């Protein structure tokens, strides 16, 4: 009954939001809230901006896209800053069709659907409220009622610029229903809805021989001609084309570049002049954002045709590449799995990350810099801090190839291969090796992959496998550490005591014998070597640690195990190195003794309780790591 209550509450909420009044009363609303008269482009921009903007360095992140578009912050920033924002300010780009160009399954349709759903919700808010002439099939802007010769006076008084002419139907209605008294014309609040064809339209081309231009611009209702006496009577016309219904909002033009030319020419007038031709009427004004999407091959073919130059000049092309960040690709897979029927299957930790590594590698271009290989590039793009590289280097890498991210493996392929593995083998749990194996098996049957690319992709699967090997070893080694934090802290404290004595040229006192000892150089180097600190650099590294401790002390803060990232990494690696033989023996013994069995059970419990495995995937991980360490 809870869902029924929510449905009822929503219905009552919509009833409360409804408003109806005369044009004179609507003008009073505008005095108080002039933003109600915003254009379609302005409404979209304000909707995106209202969700929040986060500024970092030289970039902006628009939170509107966060839950659906992953890893494309820069592309979304460009879309908002170079199209929506200037269009909202009535600059010339509002007279252009927005063409989203990118590879298959790259997020173009997701982006358009996000804008549609966003507009539906935004028109239920005070800031996004839309008002239209009541009874108008095109939801016409009430300000079109103001005669042309009075619009400058209206702008001076209200600060609102009026564009567009009153439609033929409403021109007739003003005379026949209201006796020419525009102040009495009824105005109502409307809510965008794609399902109800209000403010949002979608046009998809079909067979050119059977599709009619009426799908876009409406058509004559022949059943009413006898009643109204003429085809040119607007009452005998159905204003139900997608361009009519999308007025005040947005229209998605699917597969626009595959469409017959006669459909595209209507868009020229609409984008440039804000009107289109329908039936035997004067030009009909429309205020709407037109969004189309295509892939790169179709776009190249389109611009190669000289006949398309006029339409091409009226387009703003926005690239929507594949995501190039491993962590964001993981989120894409998680979302796709949540929305599928395989969401109940246990997916072992790091499985999707390893799949994402392979996918991202297929999308990256080789750098011209000798010091950067694709693995380093992948890590830098994902925000990892690598010694010797800065944010400036990352920006330079991104500028090397303008088309990076426009090719490679798409997310659907990965999810299809995961699904195929689960269904064929009736698995209830999968790990990274299962997925890599399935990705490899599927390359041969992938129609669009050339033999050259296939060889490269097989190399990338090997690279992803090596990355997983390291992840798996660390995971097991960490689980083997008894009281891991405690062991790490003890080792660090010991290291810091020795570093302090070394830097101060002092001695250490043995806690048992009281004997004075020199700093343990062997211990310090065994830790520092884990992170590549050379013999020549050891003194500077140790002094830097002491400076950090002093800085913490001055601020009244305690220097602990988490306070120095590189030192923490060194301590972890040292602990893991010391435990390697224990792990190897315990995981590879076919008939473990009681002590070994207890240790294995403890490790499995740790993997299950703290690392997200189930018992099956934890045991598989242990066996695999045992085999790696015994090679």
């Amino acid at each position: 009954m809870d869902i029924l209550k929510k449905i009822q509450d929503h219905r009552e909420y919509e009833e409360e939001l409804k408003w109806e009044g005369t044009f004179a009363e609507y003008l009073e609303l505008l005095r108080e809230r002039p933003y109600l008269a915003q254009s379609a482009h302005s409404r979209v921009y304000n909707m995106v901006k209202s969700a929040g903007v986060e500024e970092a360095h030289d970039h902006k992140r628009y939170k509107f896209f966060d839950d659906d578009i992953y890893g494309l912050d820069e592309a979304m920033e460009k879309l908002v800053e170079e199209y929506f924002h200037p269009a909202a300010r009535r600059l010339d780009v509002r007279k252009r069709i927005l063409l989203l160009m990118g590879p298959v399954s790259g997020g173009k349709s997701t982006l358009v659907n996000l804008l549609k759903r966003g507009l539906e919700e935004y028109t239920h808010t005070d800031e996004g409220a839309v008002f239209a002439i009541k009874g108008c099939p095109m939801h016409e802007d009430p300000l079109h009622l103001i005669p042309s010769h009075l619009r400058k006076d209206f702008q001076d008084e209200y600060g609102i610029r009026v564009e567009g002419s009153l439609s033929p139907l409403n021109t007739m209605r003003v005379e026949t229903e209201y006796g020419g008294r525009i102040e009495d014309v009824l105005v109502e609040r409307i809510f965008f809805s794609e399902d109800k064809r209000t403010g949002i339209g979608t046009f998809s081309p079909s067979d050119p021989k059977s599709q009619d231009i009426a799908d876009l611009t409406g058509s004559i209702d022949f059943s009413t001609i006898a009643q109204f006496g003429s085809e040119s009577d607007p009452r005998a016309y159905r204003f139900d084309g997608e361009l009519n219904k999308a007025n005040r909002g947005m229209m998605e033009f699917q597969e626009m570049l595959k469409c017959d030319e006669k459909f595209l020419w209507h868009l020229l007038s609409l984008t440039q002049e804000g009107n289109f031709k329908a039936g035997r009427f004067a030009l009909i004004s429309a205020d709407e954002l037109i969004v189309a999407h295509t892939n790169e091959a179709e776009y190249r073919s389109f611009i190669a045709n000289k006949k398309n130059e006029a339409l091409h000049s009226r387009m703003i092309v926005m690239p929507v590449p594949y995501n190039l960040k491993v962590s964001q690709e993981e989120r894409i897979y998680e979302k796709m799995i949540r929305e599928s029927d395989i969401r109940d299957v246990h997916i072992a930790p790091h499985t999707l990350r390893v799949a994402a590594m392979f996918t991202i590698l297929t999308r990256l271009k080789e750098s011209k810099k000798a010091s950067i290989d694709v693995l380093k590039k992948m890590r830098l793009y994902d925000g990892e801090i690598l010694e010797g590289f800065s944010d400036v280097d990352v920006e330079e890498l991104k500028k090397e190839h303008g088309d990076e991210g426009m090719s490679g493996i798409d997310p659907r392929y990965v999810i299809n291969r995961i699904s195929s593995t689960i269904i064929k083998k009736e698995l209830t749990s999968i790990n990274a090796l299962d997925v890599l194996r399935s990705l490899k098996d599927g390359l041969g049957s992938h129609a669009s992959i050339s033999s050259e690319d296939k060889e490269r992709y097989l190399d990338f699967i090997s690279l992803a496998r090596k990355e997983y090997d390291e992840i798996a070893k660390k995971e097991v080694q960490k689980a083997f550490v008894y009281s891991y934090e405690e062991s790490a802290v003890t080792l660090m404290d010991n290291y810091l005591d020795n570093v302090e004595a070394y830097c101060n040229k002092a001695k250490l006192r043995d806690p048992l014998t009281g004997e004075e000892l020199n700093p343990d150089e062997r211990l310090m180097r065994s830790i520092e070597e884990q992170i590549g600190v050379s013999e020549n650099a050891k003194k500077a590294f140790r002094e830097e640690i002491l400076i950090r401790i002093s800085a913490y002390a001055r601020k009244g803060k305690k220097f602990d195990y988490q306070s120095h990232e590189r030192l923490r990494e060194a301590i972890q690696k040292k602990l893991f190195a010391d435990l390697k033989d224990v792990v190897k023996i315990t995981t590879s013994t076919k008939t473990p003794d009681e002590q070994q069995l207890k240790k294995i059970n403890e490790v499995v419990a740790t993997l299950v309780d703290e690392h997200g495995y189930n018992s099956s995937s934890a045991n598989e991980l242990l066996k695999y790591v045992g085999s790696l360490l015994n090679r």
Side-chain angles (χ1 to χ4, degrees), residues 253-425:
F253 209 125
Q254 296 178 347
E255 304 295 347
M256 188 181 86
L257 303 187
K258 292 178 180 175
C259 201
D260 190 88
E261 285 180 11
K262 66 181 179 182
F263 292 91
L264 300 181
W265 299 129
H266 273 276
L267 302 181
L268 292 178
S269 173
L270 177 62
T271 52
Q272 195 64 32
E273 308 300 334
N275 51 44
F276 63 92
K277 192 80 172 78
R280 299 179 181 181
F281 308 116
L283 291 169
I284 295 175
S285 294
D287 172 30
E288 55 196 86
L289 164 70
I290 297 179
V291 186
H293 40 92
T294 187
N295 60 49
E296 194 171 6
E298 283 177 357
Y299 175 69
R300 300 292 171 212
S301 174
F302 174 78
I303 60 174
N305 188 342
K306 293 290 183 184
K307 290 196 300 182
N308 296 325
E309 284 182 357
L311 189 61
H312 182 237
S313 69
R314 287 168 173 80
M315 290 178 179
I316 292 284
V317 181
M318 282 289 165
V320 182
Y322 284 133
N323 155 61
L324 296 176
K325 296 178 180 178
V326 171
S327 56
Q328 297 300 309
E329 189 73 9
E330 237 186 310
R331 290 183 67 197
I332 293 172
Y333 301 156
E334 286 167 358
K335 181 189 174 191
M336 294 173 85
I337 287 168
R338 278 197 309 271
E339 295 170 352
S340 74
D341 290 336
I342 61 171
R343 60 185 177 275
D344 295 329
V345 172
H346 174 76
I347 297 175
H350 311 295
T351 298
L352 299 182
R353 181 167 186 79
V354 171
M357 285 178 182
F358 161 70
T359 312
I360 299 301
L361 287 170
T362 69
R363 299 171 185 172
L364 296 176
K365 304 266 185 182
E366 292 280 352
S367 174
K368 297 167 188 170
K369 297 182 179 181
S371 60
I372 300 277
D373 59 23
V374 283
L375 271 176
K376 277 184 184 172
K377 194 175 191 182
M378 176 188 79
R379 291 195 174 100
L380 287 168
Y381 275 14
D382 203 34
E384 284 189 43
I385 298 169
L386 299 184
E387 193 171 354
F389 297 98
S390 65
D391 291 341
V392 175
D393 295 311
V394 177
E395 291 303 316
E396 286 178 5
L397 282 174
K398 289 176 180 176
K399 290 173 185 173
E400 272 190 339
H401 302 282
D403 62 343
E404 192 167 49
M406 298 300 279
S407 61
I409 292 290
D410 65 277
R412 285 197 194 113
Y413 171 76
V414 176
I415 295 301
N416 289 346
R417 296 309 305 166
I418 291 174
S419 305
S420 173
T421 303
I422 291 167
I423 291 163
K424 278 184 183 176
K425 298 184 179 179

Side-chain angles (χ1 to χ4, degrees), residues 155-166:
Q155 186 172 352
D156 292 341
E157 186 177 347
Y158 284 79
I160 297 170
R161 184 177 168 189
V162 182
E163 293 180 328
S165 305
L166 195 62

Side-chain angles (χ1 to χ4, degrees), residues 94-315:
R94 72 193 171 105
K95 298 178 180 179
R96 306 287 183 269
I97 297 165
L98 174 61
L99 180 65
L100 305 174
M101 182 191 66
V104 294
S105 192
K108 302 184 296 295
S109 297
T110 301
L111 173 56
V112 175
N113 286 331
L114 184 59
L115 292 172
K116 287 179 180 178
R117 300 295 84 80
L119 277 173
E120 288 179 344
E121 291 178 20
Y122 192 58
T123 56
H124 283 79
T125 68
D126 178 67
E127 296 79 9
V130 185
F131 293 82
I133 296 173
K134 187 176 182 183
C136 174
M138 284 184 60
H139 334 294
E140 189 165 7
D141 187 345
L143 294 183
H144 287 182
L145 291 162
I146 298 172
S148 299
H149 66 279
L150 294 177
R151 289 185 177 181
K152 187 178 185 307
D153 295 338
F154 176 77
Q155 186 172 352
D156 292 341
E157 186 177 347
Y158 284 79
I160 297 170
R161 184 177 168 189
V162 182
E163 293 180 328
S165 305
L166 195 62
S167 67
L169 179 61
N170 285 323
T171 300
M172 175 176 279
R173 289 180 63 210
V174 168
E175 294 301 323
T176 57
E177 295 178 28
Y178 298 99
R181 292 177 57 83
I182 63 170
E183 62 269 33
D184 294 337
V185 174
L186 290 176
V187 175
E188 65 178 348
R189 183 173 180 180
I190 62 169
F191 305 102
F192 287 178
S193 168
E194 185 174 21
D195 293 338
K196 295 176 182 176
R197 302 187 73 213
T198 304
I200 297 175
T202 304
F203 181 79
S204 183
S206 56
D207 182 3
K209 295 176 183 177
S210 62
Q211 191 153 31
D212 192 345
I213 198 71
D215 294 344
L216 269 183
T217 60
S219 60
I220 296 167
D221 185 353
F222 290 101
S223 67
T224 62
I225 292 177
Q227 180 185 351
F228 298 117
S230 169
E231 289 182 15
S232 59
D233 189 311
R235 292 170 298 180
Y237 197 85
R238 287 195 295 257
F239 293 90
D240 60 355
E242 293 304 320
L243 292 180
N244 307 107
K245 293 299 183 182
N247 186 33
R248 313 293 303 286
M250 68 173 281
M251 189 191 82
E252 177 188 8
F253 209 125
Q254 296 178 347
E255 304 295 347
M256 188 181 86
L257 303 187
K258 292 178 180 175
C259 201
D260 190 88
E261 285 180 11
K262 66 181 179 182
F263 292 91
L264 300 181
W265 299 129
H266 273 276
L267 302 181
L268 292 178
S269 173
L270 177 62
T271 52
Q272 195 64 32
E273 308 300 334
N275 51 44
F276 63 92
K277 192 80 172 78
R280 299 179 181 181
F281 308 116
L283 291 169
I284 295 175
S285 294
D287 172 30
E288 55 196 86
L289 164 70
I290 297 179
V291 186
H293 40 92
T294 187
N295 60 49
E296 194 171 6
E298 283 177 357
Y299 175 69
R300 300 292 171 212
S301 174
F302 174 78
I303 60 174
N305 188 342
K306 293 290 183 184
K307 290 196 300 182
N308 296 325
E309 284 182 357
L311 189 61
H312 182 237
S313 69
R314 287 168 173 80
M315 290 178 179

Side-chain angles (χ1 to χ4, degrees), residues 429-447:
S429 171
I430 60 167
N431 59 35
L433 294 177
D434 294 324
V435 172
L436 287 177
R437 203 175 297 117
S438 183
L439 289 171
K440 183 180 179 181
D441 293 343
L443 291 177
S445 57
H446 199 299

Side-chain angles (χ1 to χ4, degrees), residues 1-187:
M1 292 302 292
D2 186 45
I3 190 66
L4 294 177
K5 179 70 168 64
K6 288 179 179 177
I7 291 169
Q8 183 184 338
D9 290 345
H10 180 70
R11 189 166 57 244
E12 289 171 359
Y13 169 66
E14 282 209 329
E15 284 297 320
E16 288 174 13
L17 291 179
K18 284 182 180 177
W19 183 93
E20 184 178 310
T22 64
F23 181 59
E25 291 169 329
Y26 173 65
L27 290 182
E28 287 305 311
L29 273 185
L30 286 186
R31 281 191 190 279
E32 300 168 19
R33 296 148 65 189
Y35 57 83
L36 295 176
Q38 62 188 324
S39 67
H41 288 85
S42 177
R43 189 173 294 109
V44 171
Y45 172 66
N46 287 327
M47 170 190 72
V48 171
K49 197 171 66 166
S50 68
V53 185
E54 190 176 278
E55 299 196 31
H57 305 298
D58 298 330
H59 295 293
K60 291 181 181 177
R61 181 172 66 84
Y62 288 90
K63 296 181 181 179
F64 176 81
F65 306 103
D66 279 2
D67 294 334
D68 294 270
I69 308 290
Y70 304 122
L72 297 181
D73 289 349
E74 289 169 24
M76 295 304 101
E77 181 187 6
K78 186 177 180 184
L79 172 64
V80 176
E81 295 298 320
E82 295 186 16
Y83 184 76
F84 290 145
H85 191 183
R89 301 291 292 272
R90 297 181 186 271
L91 294 174
D92 212 47
V93 294
R94 72 193 171 105
K95 298 178 180 179
R96 306 287 183 269
I97 297 165
L98 174 61
L99 180 65
L100 305 174
M101 182 191 66
V104 294
S105 192
K108 302 184 296 295
S109 297
T110 301
L111 173 56
V112 175
N113 286 331
L114 184 59
L115 292 172
K116 287 179 180 178
R117 300 295 84 80
L119 277 173
E120 288 179 344
E121 291 178 20
Y122 192 58
T123 56
H124 283 79
T125 68
D126 178 67
E127 296 79 9
V130 185
F131 293 82
I133 296 173
K134 187 176 182 183
C136 174
M138 284 184 60
H139 334 294
E140 189 165 7
D141 187 345
L143 294 183
H144 287 182
L145 291 162
I146 298 172
S148 299
H149 66 279
L150 294 177
R151 289 185 177 181
K152 187 178 185 307
D153 295 338
F154 176 77
Q155 186 172 352
D156 292 341
E157 186 177 347
Y158 284 79
I160 297 170
R161 184 177 168 189
V162 182
E163 293 180 328
S165 305
L166 195 62
S167 67
L169 179 61
N170 285 323
T171 300
M172 175 176 279
R173 289 180 63 210
V174 168
E175 294 301 323
T176 57
E177 295 178 28
Y178 298 99
R181 292 177 57 83
I182 63 170
E183 62 269 33
D184 294 337
V185 174
L186 290 176
V187 175

